Amino acid sequence: MNTLLISASTAAIPVHVVSTGTWTALQEQLSPANRSFALAQGFAARAGQYCLLPDLQGELAAVLLGVDIAGRRPDPFAAGRLAALLPAGDYTLSGDFGDPALATLSWLLQGYRFDRYRKPSPARARLVVPHGVDGEEISRIAESAMLARDLVNTPANELGPGEIEAAIRGLATECGAAVTSIVGDDLIARNFPMIHAVGRASTRAPRLVDLVWGDPAHPKVTLVGKGVAFDTGGLNLKPDASMLLMKKDMGGAAAAIAAARMIMLAKLPVRLRLLVPAVENAVSGNAFRPGDVLASRKGLSVEIGNTDAEGRLILADALALADEEAPDLLVDFATLTGAARTALGPELPPFYTHDEKLAAEIARLGMAVNDPVWRLPLWPPYDGLLESKIADVNHVSGGGMAGSVTAALFLNRFVEKTQAYAHFDIYAWNPSAKPGRPEGGECQGARLIHALVKQLYPRG
């Protein structure tokens, strides 16, 4: 179990989570001194307010946390806000903290620190696991999400395609999976021409990493993650401001790795496959160019409209491979388009699927586990925006509209045999801190896919 959780503590300090509706009643339970102290501090149970209540010796005796937001649904992660604010010690939750499992998860996610380049944080606040919560499962989920955050936060000088492969091999060792990889010019020999074309300009060789776990007789679940270690934009070079966060362009791979870890450690009865095309989109004399026509694994010829739309190219080859065995469920994660952020912002990734039942379950589970997503349409009339005069398809649309939709439509051309397919266009970054979501790299979509697989294929 995670070190920020404990099973019990006789000295745990109570954290009273209150709304304006319960604050009045709680005041009657406080000592006159503590009640007066809280009111003097201006505590009114508003969202994010907190107050430390001392005992007669001046030691911390209790904590108040407000969650009221004028009648709207409180943030399920609200309790996690305190994990980074309270002094070291043991704490227990009471009151209006919502779903106990989500409150516990938020505590762990809030306690995340990326300490690779600085001194480790000192001992922090620990939470007594609420009654009925599986602390081991919550720890596995949180630590998988934190692995994804670590990968996204690591700068590209220390996380290239080879290091992404090393992370997957480390996961395989931990979980008892098998890994193979196809590297460099072998990608051409093995018919992954678009992965090779995108990554060939870098001194760090492109590759396709393939992890397999579980009983081959079980239902097949395949996860694909975009692993662009750094994206310069290629010859369609990004401006400097747009390049600053491009270490996070492997956030889709990070999410897929996290989801795979959750599924494997939960020992769900599936045959899991994780495919990560890992490249660096660099600039050199052999970089692919706007106007080039590339072959693809599926046999479609692809005209290049913009070298800064490289993610969909490497995903297309990986999806074509995944589709060849027609898995029962195929999911891809990718930091694919700025259009998705323009439409829905950084906190609500769009997803795409033709499967109505799958779409409903993804949306429902996203809300249930506080990993929200929003469905956008695979709108067939927009397929025409991808027409090419010299190839089977152009990989970018002919106009500036519906960019996330047309990217999804492009990917959809490479999935034919698999009926249950979903594409997630994630951001993988928190631009500002919120409870359970520190600023920096974020793991989006993985927890809901773990919940989906757990629901579809429960342990006997």
Side-chain angles (χ1 to χ4, degrees):
M1 192 158 64
N2 189 278
T3 56
L4 295 184
L5 296 182
I6 55 173
S7 57
S9 173
T10 56
I13 299 165
V15 174
H16 303 290
V17 184
V18 294
S19 62
T20 53
T22 58
W23 172 223
T24 301
L26 181 62
Q27 290 182 58
E28 299 302 318
Q29 301 174 31
L30 298 176
S31 69
N34 275 338
R35 182 167 59 249
S36 298
F37 183 86
L39 294 174
Q41 300 301 310
F43 184 81
R46 291 188 296 273
Q49 275 192 310
Y50 72 102
C51 183
L52 309 184
L53 301 179
D55 61 18
L56 293 176
Q57 288 73 44
E59 299 293 330
L60 181 58
V63 180
L64 303 175
L65 174 66
V67 294
D68 191 84
I69 48 175
R72 289 184 288 129
R73 175 176 179 257
D75 184 347
F77 279 178
R81 170 178 167 79
L82 293 175
L85 298 173
L86 295 176
D90 297 340
Y91 297 85
T92 184
L93 296 174
S94 67
D96 299 331
F97 60 86
D99 185 315
L102 289 181
T104 306
L105 177 64
S106 71
W107 192 279
L108 298 185
L109 293 178
Q110 184 68 42
Y112 169 80
R113 297 288 184 277
F114 184 61
D115 289 333
R116 182 166 180 168
Y117 303 105
R118 57 187 178 184
K119 293 181 180 179
S121 302
R124 300 193 295 277
R126 302 191 303 177
L127 180 69
V128 176
V129 178
H131 178 71
V133 173
D134 185 340
E136 296 292 346
E137 180 181 49
I138 295 297
S139 295
R140 290 194 300 266
I141 293 171
E143 288 162 3
S144 298
M146 289 188 276
L147 169 61
R149 288 175 175 179
D150 277 348
L151 291 169
V152 175
N153 284 326
T154 301
N157 64 311
E158 295 199 6
L159 189 80
E163 287 76 18
I164 293 174
E165 178 179 344
I168 296 170
R169 290 190 178 277
L171 176 64
T173 299
E174 178 185 16
C175 298
V179 176
T180 57
S181 64
I182 305 169
V183 182
D185 289 345
D186 284 347
L187 289 163
I188 298 175
R190 299 283 293 277
N191 194 24
F192 297 98
M194 293 201 294
I195 298 174
H196 181 270
V198 171
R200 71 190 182 205
S202 173
T203 57
R204 302 191 283 187
R207 64 204 64 216
L208 176 66
V209 188
D210 188 346
L211 176 149
V212 177
W213 172 90
D215 188 337
H218 285 161
K220 292 181 173 62
V221 174
T222 300
L223 308 177
V224 180
K226 172 188 168 185
V228 178
F230 192 82
D231 180 19
T232 65
L235 293 177
N236 289 116
L237 195 68
K238 292 179 182 289
D240 55 355
S242 299
M243 217 182 293
L244 285 174
L245 275 184
M246 281 302 99
K247 69 177 183 179
K248 79 172 185 67
D249 212 21
M250 40 62 62
I257 290 168
R261 185 178 188 272
M262 295 175 199
I263 291 167
M264 290 189 287
L265 291 182
K267 295 181 170 56
L268 297 181
V270 297
R271 190 285 234 148
L272 178 71
R273 190 178 194 185
L274 170 67
L275 292 170
V276 174
V279 303
E280 179 178 28
N281 188 20
V283 180
S284 72
N286 66 337
F288 75 121
R289 296 163 290 266
D292 283 358
V293 174
L294 303 181
S296 69
R297 181 175 183 83
K298 191 172 181 62
L300 295 174
S301 58
V302 179
E303 182 182 5
I304 302 304
N306 189 312
T307 63
D308 194 19
E310 80 299 327
R312 66 197 71 182
L313 298 172
I314 66 172
L315 282 174
D317 271 356
L319 286 170
L321 173 64
D323 189 58
E324 288 167 12
E325 61 177 12
D328 297 273
L329 175 64
L330 173 58
V331 175
D332 80 66
F333 304 90
T335 53
L336 208 61
T337 69
R341 255 51 64 199
T342 300
L344 298 176
E347 299 176 24
L348 191 63
F351 76 98
Y352 299 83
T353 181
H354 284 303
D355 189 314
E356 297 297 327
K357 184 177 179 181
L358 178 63
E361 285 306 291
I362 286 174
R364 184 186 68 80
L365 288 169
M367 294 301 292
V369 302
N370 202 32
D371 194 5
V373 292
W374 196 266
R375 188 186 187 188
L376 290 182
L378 285 162
W379 187 243
Y382 289 169
D383 253 324
L385 297 174
L386 295 171
E387 289 182 357
S388 167
K389 294 181 180 179
I390 62 172
D392 292 323
V393 63
N394 197 305
H395 85 305
V396 297
S397 61
M401 297 183 182
S404 181
V405 177
T406 54
L409 286 167
F410 175 80
L411 294 177
N412 192 65
R413 292 176 181 233
F414 296 84
V415 179
E416 288 185 336
K417 299 176 183 177
T418 308
Q419 296 303 309
Y421 164 57
H423 159 62
F424 290 80
D425 190 343
I426 66 175
Y427 190 53
W429 192 265
N430 295 318
S432 59
K434 292 181 173 61
R437 309 169 190 89
E439 183 178 347
E442 187 54 284
C443 178
Q444 292 179 310
R447 290 190 293 108
L448 83 83
I449 291 302
H450 166 250
L452 176 67
V453 175
K454 184 179 177 181
Q455 174 181 286
L456 292 174
Y457 312 110
R459 293 175 61 183

